[in-house]
Amino acid sequence: MTMKRLPWILLGLSLIGNILLGYTWFRDNFSGGKSLRIENEELAALLSAANIRADSLQIKLDETLLEYEALLSQSELLKSERDAAYEDLEAKKIQIRQLIYKASQGDPQALLAANNRVRELESELEAARGRIDLLVREKDAASEKYSETQQMLADVEEARDIILEEHNTLREKVARTKFQVSELKIEPLQEKRDNEVLTYKAGKIDKIKITFVLEKNELLEPGEKEISVRILGTNGEVLGAGNDVLLDSDKLVSMKEKIKYGGEPQDVHFTFKQEEAYKKGIHTIEILSDGEFLTRGSFILN
């Protein structure tokens, strides 16, 4: 009886195996009712129309890598930071070159992925350049300040502890009598019909929306207060103030308005527009109250 059932069991197993093989083939070759071959052909046509090829991506990758490596070699980062950056860059380089190789073998999906990775790497390069430029400017400013105060510090060395104590006390007192700012939000916006879309492309921005909250401060008298916004461009210029270079920027502001402070947390918003095109790189937003610095934020345009 067992021997008679064996052929039927084998036939059943064979049918099940064929069904599984058929399902696997269908899953690997069709997506959403459309052949993956057709989808790949359509994608390849789109990439060709956009003039995106494996060889051009390789050239763009090599150029970006050279710029990135040169930037890292010339930067004044700590050795550990530079080593970590090189390791991260090397890993990304290997991944992208693997995708470009697959693309050169006729894989449009790999070509699309490689193109996206190269664009991401270019954006990272611009952001890194902006961060390093900012560090250099801060270092130069600190060095100049140090030189100016070095002689004074030498003259008052014996009184240093007393001066520091008085300074810390004064700072605490000032902090208690100034506005405290929270929830600072900076939104570069592009106007599309009746909608406003967040964008970080320098050439697409129509306006910059800045919002924040002035926290409650019981030591501040309610009444009319002047709130100012200073927007610093990539060269330290104050936007909206007719200031093309870093010249007395601490005396200039981009916008200001009077508000009536009632002693409770208060929402404040500014909208900034300019006719000139924005530059790529880091922009800094500073918030002031009656000329006193409160806080700052930044954003990067590409």
Side-chain angles (χ1 to χ4, degrees), residues 133-134 136-138 140-142 144 230-239 242-252 279 284 286 296:
D133 287 346
L134 181 60
V136 170
R137 290 200 300 272
E138 290 179 346
D140 291 344
E144 182 179 354
R230 180 185 295 137
I231 304 177
L232 298 174
T234 56
N235 294 321
E237 73 275 17
V238 179
L239 303 187
N243 174 231
D244 296 327
V245 296
L246 184 59
L247 179 63
D248 292 332
S249 61
D250 58 338
K251 298 179 181 178
L252 301 174
K279 300 177 182 177
T284 302
E286 295 182 347
R296 69 164 52 92

Side-chain angles (χ1 to χ4, degrees), residues 34-49:
K34 182 183 290 186
S35 169
L36 292 180
R37 178 182 60 80
I38 295 176
E39 284 194 352
N40 283 339
E41 290 175 354
E42 293 175 350
L43 178 57
L46 290 174
L47 292 170
S48 178

Side-chain angles (χ1 to χ4, degrees), residues 5-262:
R5 295 177 58 188
L6 181 59
W8 293 101
I9 294 173
L10 294 175
L11 177 61
L13 292 174
S14 176
L15 287 173
I16 293 173
N18 288 330
I19 291 172
L20 290 175
L21 288 173
Y23 168 75
T24 302
W25 178 87
F26 180 82
R27 182 194 62 192
D28 293 340
N29 289 273
F30 287 85
S31 175
K34 182 183 290 186
S35 169
L36 292 180
R37 178 182 60 80
I38 295 176
E39 284 194 352
N40 283 339
E41 290 175 354
E42 293 175 350
L43 178 57
L46 290 174
L47 292 170
S48 178
N51 198 28
I52 298 175
R53 305 186 309 276
D55 55 350
S56 62
L57 277 182
Q58 183 65 58
I59 293 173
K60 185 180 292 186
L61 173 63
D62 292 340
E63 292 175 348
T64 304
L65 289 172
L66 284 174
E67 289 186 42
Y68 215 141
E69 291 171 353
L71 178 67
L72 292 176
S73 65
Q74 296 170 8
S75 69
E76 298 184 4
L77 298 173
L78 296 176
K79 183 179 183 302
S80 58
E81 295 175 333
R82 188 184 294 108
D83 291 344
Y86 274 121
E87 290 179 6
D88 180 64
L89 187 61
E90 184 66 22
K92 291 176 179 176
K93 176 171 64 176
I94 293 172
Q95 293 173 358
I96 297 173
R97 283 183 171 169
Q98 288 174 343
L99 289 171
I100 292 177
Y101 174 76
K102 291 182 180 179
S104 68
Q105 303 302 306
D107 185 346
Q109 296 287 346
L111 182 58
L112 179 61
N115 182 60
N116 291 336
R117 293 289 182 85
V118 171
R119 292 179 63 184
E120 290 172 2
L121 189 63
E122 289 177 321
S123 297
E124 291 176 10
L125 171 60
E126 288 300 321
R129 183 179 288 116
R131 290 194 298 271
I132 291 175
D133 287 346
L134 181 60
L135 288 173
V136 170
R137 290 200 300 272
E138 290 179 346
K139 179 183 177 182
D140 291 344
S143 178
E144 182 179 354
K145 186 66 176 178
Y146 176 80
S147 298
E148 293 174 353
T149 58
Q150 186 63 32
Q151 185 60 46
M152 181 190 68
L153 290 175
D155 295 338
V156 298
E157 187 68 25
E158 294 181 359
R160 179 183 57 188
D161 293 340
I162 297 175
I163 293 174
L164 288 175
E165 184 178 353
E166 292 177 349
H167 176 68
N168 291 334
T169 302
L170 180 60
R171 285 187 61 184
E172 292 175 2
K173 183 177 180 181
V174 171
R176 290 195 300 269
T177 56
K178 289 198 306 183
F179 277 118
Q180 299 298 308
V181 175
S182 65
E183 300 179 30
L184 175 61
K185 189 175 183 180
I186 305 167
E187 298 176 287
L189 300 174
Q190 178 185 8
E191 297 177 347
K192 288 188 175 181
R193 297 180 183 177
D194 297 330
N195 296 322
E196 296 177 346
V197 180
L198 187 66
T199 180
Y200 290 94
K201 294 185 179 296
K204 299 289 187 180
I205 297 174
D206 294 310
K207 61 183 178 182
I208 299 175
K209 186 177 180 182
I210 303 161
T211 59
F212 53 92
V213 175
L214 295 177
E215 296 292 347
K216 178 179 180 180
N217 191 327
E218 296 179 351
L219 297 179
L220 283 173
E221 290 287 338
E224 191 175 74
K225 307 291 182 182
E226 183 181 271
I227 304 298
S228 305
V229 172
R230 180 185 295 137
I231 304 177
L232 298 174
T234 56
N235 294 321
E237 73 275 17
V238 179
L239 303 187
N243 174 231
D244 296 327
V245 296
L246 184 59
L247 179 63
D248 292 332
S249 61
D250 58 338
K251 298 179 181 178
L252 301 174
V253 296
S254 304
M255 298 175 290
K256 62 182 177 181
E257 66 176 49
K258 299 285 187 179
I259 66 168
K260 291 184 178 180
Y261 175 65

